[in-house]
Every structure is written in C-alpha cells, then in structure tokens.
Amino acid sequence: QVQLVESGGGLVQPGGSLRLSCAASGNIITFYIMGWYRQAPGKQRELVATIGTAGKTIYADSVKGRFTISRDNVKNMVYLQMISLKPEDTAVYYCNARPTIIPAPESWGQGTQVTVSS
C-alpha cells in the first residue's frame, strides 16, 4: 500500500559521507516501521537500521555510530545519513516499510547503489 523510492546513492571515497532518502507515497508512514537494508554482491540482504513509529532506532553493529536513520512523517520521508563510509558498506540499499496497525504486506523500494572506493 506504500510505494517507496530511494535516492542519494553514488560513489564516495572511504571516509566520506552520503545521505540516502526514501520518499513514500500512497499512504502516510506514521504507523509504519521504516527501515534500510542493504545487499552486497554475492551476499544476503541484511538489516542496516530501522526506526519505529515513536522514533526508536535499531542499527546493525557494523554501522552503529556511523549511520543515522531518521524520519519525517509530515514529508513522508525517511533518511539514512552515512558517515565514515568504508568499502564494506558498498551495497544496494533498500528502503522498507512495515505496517504496525494495518494487516498489509511490507513495501520495498527499488534500491539505490552505494559504492565506497578509492
């Protein structure tokens, strides 16, 4: 019921920063748990960060202290601020929306490529 479109990916050098954006449409995200996941070549998709309806955040150990997930329910946007990027952060990053009060399927974006390389 929610359509998600990611943007902001690109090529960055190690130690650099990027901010990913996820624009939601079709429904408001107020009652959705929003998240970012990533999938590196040849690897399984993994959780990066989630943010709950009340702002509670969860981060993967590999990104904790470097990445910050945030949400703007008015703008229907979710962000992932990434700093101190490492080559191992290279992956396709996907936005995810999980409803909390409506029994509906999760939504996924198309993904945005993040490449960290010298």
Side-chain angles (χ1 to χ4, degrees), residues 10-82:
L11 175 64
V12 64
Q13 293 186 331
S17 302
L18 279 177
R19 187 184 71 166
L20 305 183
S21 298
C22 174
S25 62
N27 206 350
I28 59 173
I29 63 172
T30 304
F31 304 115
Y32 288 74
I33 297 174
M34 305 301 297
W36 288 96
Y37 294 74
R38 68 186 182 187
Q39 186 167 24
K43 296 186 176 181
Q44 196 167 341
R45 185 185 64 187
E46 65 176 354
L47 168 74
V48 175
T50 63
I51 182 167
T53 58
K56 179 184 177 181
T57 57
I58 297 174
Y59 296 93
D61 289 340
S62 59
V63 307
K64 196 169 187 178
R66 299 187 299 117
F67 291 11
T68 302
I69 187 172
S70 61
R71 65 191 296 159
D72 186 332
N73 290 343
V74 175
K75 295 181 178 180
N76 237 29
M77 296 284 291
V78 182
Y79 307 95
L80 184 67
Q81 180 66 55
M82 306 182 293

Side-chain angles (χ1 to χ4, degrees), residues 73-114:
N73 290 343
V74 175
K75 295 181 178 180
N76 237 29
M77 296 284 291
V78 182
Y79 307 95
L80 184 67
Q81 180 66 55
M82 306 182 293
I83 65 171
S84 301
L85 284 162
K86 305 174 181 180
E88 49 263 45
D89 294 319
T90 296
V92 177
Y93 284 70
Y94 298 92
C95 185
N96 169 267
R98 176 170 144 242
T100 59
I101 62 172
I102 302 174
E106 293 181 275
S107 297
W108 293 91
Q110 82 290 342
T112 185
Q113 177 71 49
V114 172

